PDB file of all heavy atoms in Angstrom:
ATOM      1  N   ILE A  67      18.683  53.549  40.482  1.00 97.00           N
ATOM      2  CA  ILE A  67      18.404  52.958  41.800  1.00 97.00           C
ATOM      3  C   ILE A  67      17.813  51.568  41.636  1.00 97.00           C
ATOM      4  O   ILE A  67      18.206  50.622  42.327  1.00 97.00           O
ATOM      5  CB  ILE A  67      17.433  53.855  42.598  1.00 97.00           C
ATOM      6  CG1 ILE A  67      18.029  55.236  42.798  1.00 97.00           C
ATOM      7  CG2 ILE A  67      17.081  53.219  43.934  1.00 97.00           C
ATOM      8  CD1 ILE A  67      17.056  56.264  43.356  1.00 97.00           C
ATOM      9  N   LEU A  68      16.863  51.416  40.717  1.00 98.00           N
ATOM     10  CA  LEU A  68      16.179  50.131  40.530  1.00 98.00           C
ATOM     11  C   LEU A  68      17.139  49.068  39.988  1.00 98.00           C
ATOM     12  O   LEU A  68      17.044  47.895  40.364  1.00 98.00           O
ATOM     13  CB  LEU A  68      14.979  50.302  39.610  1.00 98.00           C
ATOM     14  CG  LEU A  68      13.877  51.231  40.134  1.00 98.00           C
ATOM     15  CD1 LEU A  68      12.749  51.355  39.120  1.00 98.00           C
ATOM     16  CD2 LEU A  68      13.335  50.739  41.474  1.00 98.00           C
ATOM     17  N   ILE A  69      18.044  49.473  39.119  1.00 98.00           N
ATOM     18  CA  ILE A  69      19.045  48.536  38.601  1.00 98.00           C
ATOM     19  C   ILE A  69      19.964  48.066  39.733  1.00 98.00           C
ATOM     20  O   ILE A  69      20.227  46.869  39.883  1.00 98.00           O
ATOM     21  CB  ILE A  69      19.871  49.182  37.461  1.00 98.00           C
ATOM     22  CG1 ILE A  69      19.006  49.331  36.204  1.00 98.00           C
ATOM     23  CG2 ILE A  69      21.114  48.337  37.147  1.00 98.00           C
ATOM     24  CD1 ILE A  69      19.632  50.167  35.104  1.00 98.00           C
ATOM     25  N   ASN A  70      20.422  49.002  40.551  1.00 98.00           N
ATOM     26  CA  ASN A  70      21.305  48.650  41.674  1.00 98.00           C
ATOM     27  C   ASN A  70      20.592  47.747  42.681  1.00 98.00           C
ATOM     28  O   ASN A  70      21.177  46.781  43.193  1.00 98.00           O
ATOM     29  CB  ASN A  70      21.811  49.909  42.377  1.00 98.00           C
ATOM     30  CG  ASN A  70      22.862  50.639  41.558  1.00 98.00           C
ATOM     31  OD1 ASN A  70      23.525  50.037  40.719  1.00 98.00           O
ATOM     32  ND2 ASN A  70      23.010  51.930  41.782  1.00 98.00           N
ATOM     33  N   ASN A  71      19.324  48.059  42.968  1.00 98.00           N
ATOM     34  CA  ASN A  71      18.563  47.235  43.913  1.00 98.00           C
ATOM     35  C   ASN A  71      18.314  45.833  43.363  1.00 98.00           C
ATOM     36  O   ASN A  71      18.326  44.850  44.115  1.00 98.00           O
ATOM     37  CB  ASN A  71      17.234  47.916  44.260  1.00 98.00           C
ATOM     38  CG  ASN A  71      17.421  49.150  45.127  1.00 98.00           C
ATOM     39  OD1 ASN A  71      18.512  49.394  45.652  1.00 98.00           O
ATOM     40  ND2 ASN A  71      16.379  49.936  45.295  1.00 98.00           N
ATOM     41  N   SER A  72      18.087  45.739  42.054  1.00 98.00           N
ATOM     42  CA  SER A  72      17.890  44.434  41.417  1.00 98.00           C
ATOM     43  C   SER A  72      19.171  43.606  41.490  1.00 98.00           C
ATOM     44  O   SER A  72      19.135  42.391  41.729  1.00 98.00           O
ATOM     45  CB  SER A  72      17.490  44.602  39.948  1.00 98.00           C
ATOM     46  OG  SER A  72      16.268  45.279  39.836  1.00 98.00           O
ATOM     47  N   LYS A  73      20.285  44.290  41.304  1.00 98.00           N
ATOM     48  CA  LYS A  73      21.586  43.603  41.368  1.00 98.00           C
ATOM     49  C   LYS A  73      21.827  43.045  42.773  1.00 98.00           C
ATOM     50  O   LYS A  73      22.251  41.891  42.940  1.00 98.00           O
ATOM     51  CB  LYS A  73      22.701  44.576  40.985  1.00 98.00           C
ATOM     52  CG  LYS A  73      24.056  43.912  40.813  1.00 98.00           C
ATOM     53  CD  LYS A  73      25.069  44.889  40.251  1.00 98.00           C
ATOM     54  CE  LYS A  73      26.380  44.192  39.950  1.00 98.00           C
ATOM     55  NZ  LYS A  73      27.376  45.127  39.358  1.00 98.00           N
ATOM     56  N   LYS A  74      21.534  43.840  43.793  1.00 97.00           N
ATOM     57  CA  LYS A  74      21.698  43.385  45.181  1.00 97.00           C
ATOM     58  C   LYS A  74      20.818  42.178  45.457  1.00 97.00           C
ATOM     59  O   LYS A  74      21.239  41.211  46.101  1.00 97.00           O
ATOM     60  CB  LYS A  74      21.351  44.517  46.159  1.00 97.00           C
ATOM     61  CG  LYS A  74      22.356  45.649  46.197  1.00 97.00           C
ATOM     62  CD  LYS A  74      21.852  46.767  47.112  1.00 97.00           C
ATOM     63  CE  LYS A  74      22.739  47.996  47.001  1.00 97.00           C
ATOM     64  NZ  LYS A  74      22.173  49.129  47.778  1.00 97.00           N
TER      65      LYS A  74
END
Side-chain angles (χ1 to χ4, degrees):
I67 300 170
L68 297 178
I69 289 170
N70 286 336
N71 289 348
S72 298
K73 189 172 186 178
K74 289 175 189 174

